[in-house]
Coordinates of all heavy atoms in Angstrom, one line a residue:
G327 N 80.6 95.7 107.0 CA 79.7 94.5 107.1 C 79.6 94.0 108.5 O 78.5 93.7 109.0
L328 N 80.8 93.9 109.2 CA 80.8 93.5 110.6 C 80.0 94.4 111.5 O 79.2 94.0 112.4 CB 82.2 93.4 111.1 CG 83.1 92.3 110.5 CD1 84.5 92.4 111.0 CD2 82.5 90.9 110.8
Q330 N 77.5 96.4 110.6 CA 76.1 96.3 110.3 C 75.5 95.1 111.0 O 74.3 95.1 111.3 CB 75.9 96.2 108.8 CG 76.2 97.6 108.1 CD 76.1 97.4 106.6 OE1 75.5 96.5 106.1 NE2 76.7 98.4 105.9
L331 N 76.3 94.0 111.2 CA 75.8 92.8 111.9 C 75.8 93.0 113.4 O 75.4 92.1 114.1 CB 76.6 91.6 111.5 CG 76.5 91.1 110.0 CD1 77.5 90.0 109.7 CD2 75.1 90.7 109.8
G332 N 76.4 94.1 113.9 CA 76.5 94.3 115.3 C 77.7 93.8 116.0 O 77.8 93.8 117.2
F333 N 78.7 93.4 115.2 CA 80.0 92.9 115.7 C 80.9 94.1 116.0 O 80.7 95.2 115.4 CB 80.7 92.0 114.8 CG 80.1 90.6 114.7 CD1 79.4 90.2 113.6 CD2 80.4 89.7 115.7 CE1 78.8 88.9 113.5 CE2 79.9 88.4 115.6 CZ 79.1 88.0 114.5
L345 N 87.8 91.0 115.0 CA 86.4 90.8 115.4 C 86.4 90.5 116.9 O 86.7 89.3 117.3 CB 85.8 89.6 114.6 CG 84.2 89.5 114.5 CD1 83.8 88.5 113.5 CD2 83.7 89.1 115.9
A355 N 83.9 79.0 120.0 CA 82.6 78.6 119.4 C 82.4 79.2 118.0 O 82.0 78.5 117.1 CB 81.4 78.9 120.3
L356 N 82.8 80.5 117.9 CA 82.6 81.1 116.6 C 83.7 80.6 115.6 O 83.4 80.4 114.4 CB 82.8 82.6 116.7 CG 82.6 83.4 115.4 CD1 81.3 83.0 114.7 CD2 82.5 84.9 115.7
V357 N 84.9 80.3 116.0 CA 85.9 79.7 115.1 C 85.4 78.4 114.6 O 85.5 78.0 113.4 CB 87.2 79.6 115.9 CG1 88.2 78.7 115.0 CG2 87.9 80.9 116.1
A358 N 84.8 77.6 115.5 CA 84.3 76.3 115.1 C 83.1 76.4 114.1 O 83.0 75.7 113.2 CB 83.8 75.5 116.4
H359 N 82.3 77.4 114.4 CA 81.1 77.7 113.5 C 81.7 78.0 112.1 O 81.1 77.5 111.1 CB 80.3 78.8 114.0 CG 79.2 79.3 113.1 ND1 78.0 78.6 112.9 CD2 79.2 80.4 112.3 CE1 77.3 79.3 112.1 NE2 77.9 80.4 111.7
L360 N 82.7 78.9 112.0 CA 83.2 79.2 110.7 C 83.8 78.0 110.0 O 83.6 77.8 108.8 CB 84.3 80.3 110.9 CG 83.8 81.7 111.3 CD1 84.9 82.6 111.8 CD2 83.0 82.3 110.2
F361 N 84.6 77.2 110.8 CA 85.2 76.0 110.2 C 84.1 75.0 109.7 O 84.3 74.4 108.6 CB 86.1 75.3 111.2 CG 86.9 74.2 110.7 CD1 88.0 74.4 109.9 CD2 86.4 72.8 110.8 CE1 88.8 73.3 109.4 CE2 87.2 71.8 110.3 CZ 88.3 72.0 109.6
D362 N 83.0 74.9 110.4 CA 81.9 74.0 110.0 C 81.3 74.5 108.7 O 80.8 73.7 107.9 CB 80.8 74.0 111.0 CG 81.2 73.2 112.3 OD1 82.2 72.4 112.2 OD2 80.6 73.4 113.3
H363 N 81.5 75.8 108.4 CA 81.0 76.4 107.1 C 82.2 76.7 106.2 O 82.1 77.5 105.3 CB 80.2 77.6 107.4 CG 78.9 77.4 108.1 ND1 78.8 77.2 109.4 CD2 77.6 77.3 107.6 CE1 77.5 77.0 109.7 NE2 76.8 77.1 108.6
N364 N 83.3 75.9 106.3 CA 84.4 75.9 105.4 C 85.1 77.2 105.3 O 85.5 77.7 104.2 CB 83.9 75.5 104.0 CG 83.2 74.1 104.0 OD1 83.7 73.2 104.7 ND2 82.1 74.0 103.3
I365 N 85.3 77.9 106.5 CA 86.0 79.1 106.5 C 87.1 79.0 107.6 O 86.9 78.6 108.7 CB 85.1 80.3 106.9 CG1 84.1 80.5 105.9 CG2 86.0 81.6 107.1 CD1 83.0 81.6 106.3
L395 N 83.5 87.7 100.6 CA 83.2 88.5 101.8 C 81.7 88.4 102.1 O 81.3 88.3 103.3 CB 83.5 90.0 101.5 CG 85.0 90.3 101.3 CD1 85.2 91.8 101.3 CD2 85.9 89.7 102.4
E396 N 80.9 88.4 101.0 CA 79.4 88.2 101.2 C 79.2 86.8 101.9 O 78.3 86.8 102.9 CB 78.7 88.3 99.9 CG 77.2 88.1 100.0 CD 76.5 88.2 98.7 OE1 77.2 88.4 97.6 OE2 75.3 88.0 98.6
Y397 N 79.8 85.8 101.5 CA 79.7 84.5 102.1 C 80.1 84.5 103.6 O 79.4 84.0 104.4 CB 80.5 83.4 101.3 CG 80.4 82.1 101.9 CD1 79.2 81.3 101.9 CD2 81.5 81.5 102.6 CE1 79.2 80.0 102.5 CE2 81.4 80.3 103.2 CZ 80.3 79.5 103.1 OH 80.2 78.3 103.7
L398 N 81.2 85.1 103.8 CA 81.7 85.2 105.2 C 80.7 85.9 106.1 O 80.4 85.4 107.2 CB 83.1 85.9 105.2 CG 83.6 86.4 106.6 CD1 83.9 85.1 107.5 CD2 84.8 87.2 106.5
L399 N 80.2 87.0 105.6 CA 79.3 87.8 106.5 C 78.0 87.1 106.7 O 77.4 87.2 107.7 CB 79.0 89.2 105.8 CG 80.2 90.1 105.8 CD1 80.0 91.3 104.9 CD2 80.5 90.6 107.3
N400 N 77.5 86.3 105.7 CA 76.3 85.5 105.8 C 76.5 84.5 106.9 O 75.6 84.2 107.7 CB 75.9 84.9 104.5 CG 75.3 85.9 103.6 OD1 74.8 87.0 104.0 ND2 75.3 85.7 102.3
V401 N 77.7 83.8 106.9 CA 77.9 82.8 107.9 C 78.0 83.4 109.3 O 77.5 82.8 110.3 CB 79.3 82.1 107.6 CG1 79.7 81.1 108.7 CG2 79.1 81.2 106.3
L402 N 78.6 84.6 109.4 CA 78.7 85.3 110.7 C 77.3 85.7 111.2 O 76.9 85.6 112.3 CB 79.6 86.5 110.6 CG 81.1 86.2 110.5 CD1 81.8 87.5 110.1 CD2 81.6 85.6 111.8
A403 N 76.4 86.1 110.2 CA 75.1 86.5 110.6 C 74.3 85.3 111.1 O 73.5 85.4 112.1 CB 74.3 87.1 109.4
D404 N 74.5 84.1 110.6 CA 73.8 82.9 111.1 C 74.2 82.6 112.5 O 73.4 82.1 113.3 CB 74.2 81.7 110.2 CG 73.5 81.8 108.8 OD1 72.6 82.5 108.7 OD2 74.0 81.1 107.9
F405 N 75.5 82.9 112.9 CA 75.9 82.6 114.2 C 75.3 83.6 115.2 O 75.0 83.2 116.4 CB 77.5 82.8 114.3 CG 78.0 82.5 115.7 CD1 78.2 81.2 116.1 CD2 78.4 83.5 116.5 CE1 78.8 80.9 117.3 CE2 78.9 83.3 117.8 CZ 79.1 82.0 118.2
R406 N 74.9 84.8 114.8 CA 74.3 85.8 115.6 C 72.9 85.4 115.9 O 72.3 85.9 116.9 CB 74.4 87.1 115.0 CG 75.8 87.6 114.7 CD 76.5 88.0 116.0 NE 76.0 89.3 116.5 CZ 76.4 89.9 117.6 NH1 77.4 89.3 118.3 NH2 75.9 91.0 118.0
Q407 N 72.2 84.7 115.1 CA 70.8 84.4 115.2 C 70.5 83.4 116.3 O 71.3 82.6 116.6 CB 70.2 83.9 113.9 CG 70.3 85.0 112.8 CD 69.8 84.5 111.5 OE1 69.5 83.3 111.3 NE2 69.8 85.4 110.5

Side-chain angles (χ1 to χ4, degrees):
L328 291 175
Q330 288 175 21
L331 290 175
F333 285 104
L345 195 171
L356 182 48
V357 170
H359 173 76
L360 292 169
F361 187 81
D362 288 342
H363 289 80
N364 303 319
I365 299 173
L395 298 186
E396 182 181 356
Y397 176 72
L398 168 65
L399 291 168
N400 286 336
V401 171
L402 288 169
D404 288 341
F405 182 78
R406 299 287 288 182
Q407 294 175 357

